[in-house]
Amino acid sequence: MNATNSPLGKPLDRVDGMLKVTGQARYAGEFPEKGLLHGSVVSSTIACGRVLSIDISKALAVPGVVAVIDHTNRPKIASYDEDYEDADSAEGSPFRPLYNDRVLYSGQPLALVVADTLELARHAGSLVKIEYETDDHQTHLQSVKDDAHEAPAETPKPRGNFQAEYVGAAVSVDAHYTTPNEHHNPMEPHASTVMYQADGSLEIHDKTQGPQNCQDYLHNVFGLEKDKIRVLAAFVGGAFGSGLRPQYQLPLAVMASLKLKRSVRVTLTRQQMFTFGYRPSTLQRLRLGAAANGKLVAIGHDVIGQTSRFEDFTEHVVEWSGMLYQCDNVQLGYKLAPLDVYTPLDMRAPGATSGMVGLECAMDELAIALGVDPVQLRIVNFAERNGNEDKPYSSKELKACYEQGAERFGWSNRNPEPRSMRAGRQLVGWGMAGGVWEAMQMPASAKASMDASGKLTVSSATTDIGTGTYTVMTQIAADAAGVMPEDVTFVLGDSSLPTAPLQGGSFTVSSVGTAVQQACRALRAKLLDAVRMAHPEFAVADMEEVGFGDGYLHIRDQRFSFGDIVRDSSHEVLEVQIDSKPDEKREAYSTATHSAVFVEVHVDEDLGNIRVNRVVSAVAGGRVVNPKTAGSQILGGVVWGISQALLEESHTDHTLGRVMNHSLAEYHIPVNADIGEIEVIFVEENDTIVNDLGSKGVGEIGIVGVASAIANAIYHATGKRVREFPITLDKVL
């Protein structure tokens, strides 16, 4: 398809939009089944100890209750005596629901009540009485920071002589920052509907970011053959990392289904959404040293993060400080402190969202100490190469992000003096920060098939967690095959489809999209072969004489519709399956997405109320396949960044070891009234190395740097530097 009528780069409406807004899109907890049973989880009320007894007699006496399953009567699960892994597992021994009498954290599932209706199951669950032997627990990161151990993740090795250069620097910053626990709260809670089949096989609708990961997990845990497990996730109501690992409702639903030989659904309550993975709190120390001209001579970033007693969860928290700016003397440290909590989990831009808070706030503090503009300081320290890997970037239009973002925002009108800008009783602050996220690509497979009506069907076992995967894959397929987008059906969310990685890390377009592109190009070649077979005069046609577009193959002065080619080929369909992997040419380069975020805040001088009035986010993410869905990703990331900066925090009562604000009434996130004007700019960035599409993905980058920019704007407005997030009005006052 030629560039003028290619669907790539066009703001195509979501192809699944109509199904969603009319309620026809079914989610994991919505599939009907005759005789379906409902499970309700009974959670622990202590943080550490042992179950002495579970009295289920009153629950079983409720008419309509079919079973109560706990560690004493669960079915035998062979793998519970071995270690097993899922694709997003952490170092250590994964959590096993109903494994034994040990209580490892507050909210741990201790029993599953199964009944004819959800209401009956929940009521009966309230009648289960559990006696405990309680042990001392620790859930406070500050209290155990001195006991932290090195994280198993490979932190980039030190380079140069940080200590000497830092001590000798003309200007230095030494600051501590803290970020809190944040819990996943996607619109759709986690649910699994297990359809028990007559032959003992299971068809499962699960809220997941990877159907094949769930299939592998169940195969490993329950010893079921993979052909007896089919996992489906056609629609996912937001995930942000919460569906990367199978959550405990899945094994509990399968356990009940296998034990009872019935179909079972288990849905977690909103409160139970606070009883599994989350973004872990961090304690950060940033040390920056600079010459008088602003050039960085030393960067030190040390972080302590929290983890569970049974797994060492690690994320890339400090790496960004070694790569975003040019500096020859860098020392990075990352430790973990185990607590009596569940294992943390990847959450939108994991590691970068937290780590960049420290780096970008410290850069603002350095700019003030030097008396230079924060944008200018970043330009002076622009890095052509990734210092951690000592590789050049495949592309890096970060300077253009600074320039275009600053121009659109009106940054040149900023008075650098804190408390100098006002709007009536409101102090006005302008702040900015940079952002970075790795542009990864994973192996992936896709199948493309053309039928006799000229309709193209493309499939891969990826998911669409609300990012627009259905739509962008339709655009990529239409462009690569030479058909109109309305003639493409993209099928996903099924473990039986061609292999795909987990949907996360902003690598779905580059991974699955590349496979889709290659499969559709291979299908075009098959269509051409079919024409050559049917028309010998074209057997030696030069490829320059061949074109594809609008559902036709053009060759010399003739054209053949794809549908006619299939009909004449004596096949019902022509199809191709392709296994795609990253190109070797990537290995010589570092690949990353970059951004620059500019923020205006208004702070009420008397009340301390903070409002983010406007945001400009300039993003360099390679080729943008669909600016409408990509723009929505950045908008959503900015809103979450506002939440991270000002509102979002899981409050733990350390006496009880329990999250207290475990509801959407008390877990504060922004509403429409909290959000001002947000403008997204996609900076042009051509990258021929990252993949054939030239796309880097934008799912994660939208949130990175936003909280830092807001914190920097609050300092500019008030003259007060708050280093403990979220920045609530009590801290400003």
Side-chain angles (χ1 to χ4, degrees):
M1 208 173 254
N2 63 43
T4 52
N5 64 351
S6 167
L8 293 187
K10 305 279 169 59
L12 186 71
D13 289 346
R14 287 175 181 266
V15 298
D16 54 328
M18 187 62 75
L19 292 174
K20 286 184 169 177
V21 299
T22 57
Q24 295 175 76
R26 279 211 172 116
Y27 295 83
E30 296 182 330
F31 286 86
E33 172 86 338
K34 196 174 180 190
L36 179 70
L37 297 173
H38 296 263
S40 179
V41 176
V42 180
S43 309
S44 75
T45 57
I46 67 166
C48 186
R50 230 172 244 294
V51 173
L52 295 177
S53 68
I54 299 183
D55 182 355
I56 61 175
S57 57
K58 285 184 180 173
L60 286 172
V62 175
V65 170
V66 177
V68 181
I69 303 170
D70 59 44
H71 72 277
T72 65
N73 65 359
R74 63 165 169 77
K76 183 166 170 51
I77 301 169
S79 72
Y80 267 31
D81 300 320
E82 306 159 16
D83 278 344
Y84 56 84
E85 286 188 2
D86 59 71
D88 198 53
S89 60
E91 195 97 358
S93 180
F95 175 68
R96 298 161 166 83
L98 310 190
Y99 177 50
N100 59 16
D101 63 352
R102 290 289 315 163
V103 177
L104 304 173
Y105 70 99
S106 181
Q108 176 179 322
L110 297 181
L112 181 72
V113 179
V114 185
D116 292 336
T117 69
L118 179 58
E119 291 79 9
L120 277 174
R122 293 228 171 120
H123 169 63
S126 71
L127 303 177
V128 174
K129 293 289 176 264
I130 303 176
E131 277 190 46
Y132 302 97
E133 178 185 282
T134 307
D135 294 336
D136 291 340
H137 66 263
Q138 183 55 264
T139 55
H140 194 208
L141 178 60
Q142 284 279 8
S143 302
V144 296
K145 62 184 181 184
D146 295 338
D147 301 328
H149 60 265
E150 293 295 329
E154 250 186 65
T155 301
K157 291 182 173 59
R159 58 181 187 261
N161 188 337
F162 163 77
Q163 203 59 43
E165 293 297 331
Y166 177 72
V167 170
V171 179
S172 63
V173 167
D174 184 348
H176 292 259
Y177 305 89
T178 66
T179 65
N181 291 331
E182 296 171 24
H183 274 82
H184 290 94
N185 272 289
M187 203 176 291
E188 177 200 15
H190 279 260
S192 302
T193 302
V194 180
M195 311 289 205
Y196 188 86
Q197 311 294 308
D199 63 354
S201 62
L202 305 177
E203 188 171 283
I204 302 166
H205 297 276
D206 187 61
K207 188 210 173 85
T208 178
Q209 289 170 251
Q212 290 172 330
N213 183 33
C214 290
Q215 184 190 43
D216 288 345
Y217 168 86
L218 295 173
H219 165 69
N220 291 335
V221 171
F222 290 93
L224 299 168
E225 292 305 314
K226 282 196 181 176
D227 61 6
K228 294 279 192 187
I229 314 163
R230 187 179 180 193
V231 181
L232 301 156
F235 296 97
V236 180
F240 312 108
S242 68
L244 290 173
R245 298 187 76 168
Q247 300 306 344
Y248 63 73
Q249 90 285 341
L250 176 62
L252 289 178
V254 170
M255 211 181 282
S257 184
L258 293 175
K259 182 181 173 77
L260 301 170
K261 295 186 167 46
R262 297 271 304 272
S263 297
V264 178
R265 173 179 298 149
V266 178
T267 304
L268 299 186
T269 64
R270 182 57 63 181
Q271 286 74 22
Q272 287 166 339
M273 294 291 290
F274 289 79
T275 62
F276 57 84
Y278 51 89
R279 194 191 301 284
S281 60
T282 64
L283 308 175
Q284 305 186 37
R285 183 186 185 191
L286 256 295
R287 286 173 290 171
L288 302 178
N293 64 0
K295 285 266 189 184
L296 285 163
V297 296
I299 298 175
H301 192 176
D302 294 287
V303 171
I304 298 172
Q306 75 175 58
T307 189
S308 67
R309 299 266 185 218
F310 46 94
E311 287 179 294
D312 272 351
F313 172 80
T314 60
E315 50 186 5
H316 297 301
V317 188
V318 295
E319 279 80 345
W320 322 102
S321 296
M323 64 188 272
L324 188 53
Y325 301 112
Q326 167 58 37
C327 184
D328 296 329
N329 306 285
V330 177
Q331 183 177 295
L332 308 172
Y334 177 33
K335 291 183 173 182
L336 297 176
L339 295 166
D340 296 299
V341 294
Y342 193 79
T343 309
L345 180 63
D346 290 340
M347 187 190 244
R348 199 169 199 168
T353 303
S354 307
M356 290 289 286
V357 161
L359 177 65
E360 288 302 275
C361 288
M363 283 293 284
D364 198 66
E365 298 200 38
L366 182 64
I368 285 149
L370 285 160
V372 302
D373 182 85
V375 177
Q376 188 55 37
L377 177 65
R378 286 164 173 82
I379 291 171
V380 163
N381 289 290
F382 181 84
E384 299 285 353
R385 300 171 72 82
N386 179 336
N388 293 338
E389 301 175 344
D390 194 24
K391 289 179 182 179
Y393 285 98
S394 60
S395 62
K396 186 179 178 183
E397 293 295 338
L398 178 56
K399 280 183 183 173
C401 291
Y402 294 142
E403 289 158 11
Q404 292 179 33
E407 185 182 352
R408 194 71 62 90
F409 187 82
W411 185 259
S412 60
N413 298 320
R414 176 180 184 263
N415 182 334
E417 193 63 37
R419 300 181 71 87
S420 62
M421 297 171 68
R422 290 177 171 271
R425 298 293 299 162
Q426 304 288 313
L427 297 166
V428 176
W430 286 9
M432 64 80 57
V436 59
W437 181 257
E438 52 202 327
M440 297 175 280
Q441 185 181 350
M442 305 291 173
S445 305
K447 182 189 284 183
S449 65
M450 182 72 68
D451 66 17
S453 65
K455 301 293 185 187
L456 173 65
T457 301
V458 186
S459 60
S460 182
T462 185
T463 56
D464 188 337
I465 58 175
T467 49
T469 308
Y470 278 111
T471 309
V472 295
M473 296 303 163
T474 297
Q475 290 174 269
I476 292 166
D479 175 76
V483 299
M484 302 302 288
E486 54 266 33
D487 292 327
V488 179
T489 301
F490 187 66
V491 183
L492 54 68
D494 184 339
S495 61
S496 67
L497 296 175
T499 307
L502 292 164
Q503 177 161 62
S506 292
F507 52 67
T508 299
V509 169
S510 56
S511 307
V512 179
T514 297
V516 166
Q517 184 186 56
Q518 291 177 0
C520 291
R521 285 177 176 172
L523 181 64
R524 272 192 344 197
K526 206 162 191 174
L527 289 164
L528 178 59
D529 288 344
V531 169
R532 285 171 165 164
M533 288 285 286
H535 302 272
E537 67 271 27
F538 298 127
V540 290
D542 198 303
M543 281 311 294
E544 288 174 8
E545 301 175 277
V546 180
F548 299 86
D550 299 340
Y552 288 87
L553 187 157
H554 305 262
I555 186 163
R556 294 180 191 155
D557 57 351
Q558 292 196 50
R559 67 179 199 156
F560 304 88
S561 83
F562 291 166
D564 289 344
I565 297 169
V566 174
R567 265 194 303 278
D568 296 343
S569 74
S570 74
H571 294 282
E572 283 185 28
V573 297
L574 290 178
E575 74 177 22
V576 178
Q577 183 165 328
I578 288 290
D579 299 325
S580 158
K581 59 179 197 274
D583 197 306
E584 287 179 5
K585 67 184 177 186
R586 282 177 56 109
E587 292 172 13
Y589 295 88
S590 188
T591 54
T593 305
H594 292 88
S595 68
V597 185
F598 295 82
V599 168
E600 176 181 291
V601 299
H602 287 186
V603 183
D604 189 290
E605 193 170 15
D606 301 313
L607 302 176
N609 293 343
I610 305 161
R611 176 175 169 78
V612 177
N613 199 46
R614 61 190 181 100
V615 179
V616 172
S617 178
V619 178
R623 184 188 207 167
V624 176
V625 175
N626 185 326
K628 189 173 187 177
T629 54
S632 290
Q633 286 295 293
I634 304 301
L635 285 173
V638 169
V639 170
W640 200 340
I642 293 169
S643 187
Q644 181 197 8
L646 304 179
L647 298 164
E648 202 164 339
E649 180 176 17
S650 303
H651 291 283
T652 300
D653 180 326
H654 297 298
T655 308
L656 297 170
R658 183 188 310 164
V659 176
M660 301 307 289
N661 58 332
H662 60 329
S663 70
L664 291 186
E666 295 176 277
Y667 184 82
H668 292 166
I669 53 176
V671 296
N672 278 356
D674 295 313
I675 304 302
E677 180 189 328
I678 302 172
E679 186 173 359
V680 179
I681 301 167
F682 286 116
V683 171
E684 189 173 334
E685 185 174 61
N686 298 309
D687 196 319
T688 57
I689 290 155
V690 70
N691 51 59
D692 281 352
L693 284 163
S695 173
K696 294 179 174 182
V698 295
E700 317 282 359
I701 190 69
I703 189 175
V704 183
V706 177
S708 317
I710 292 169
N712 297 338
I714 289 169
Y715 171 79
H716 180 238
T718 64
K720 180 161 185 181
R721 182 69 66 176
V722 181
R723 301 185 181 92
E724 182 188 350
F725 286 72
I727 303 174
T728 47
L729 60 84
D730 55 309
K731 294 168 190 167
V732 172
L733 288 172

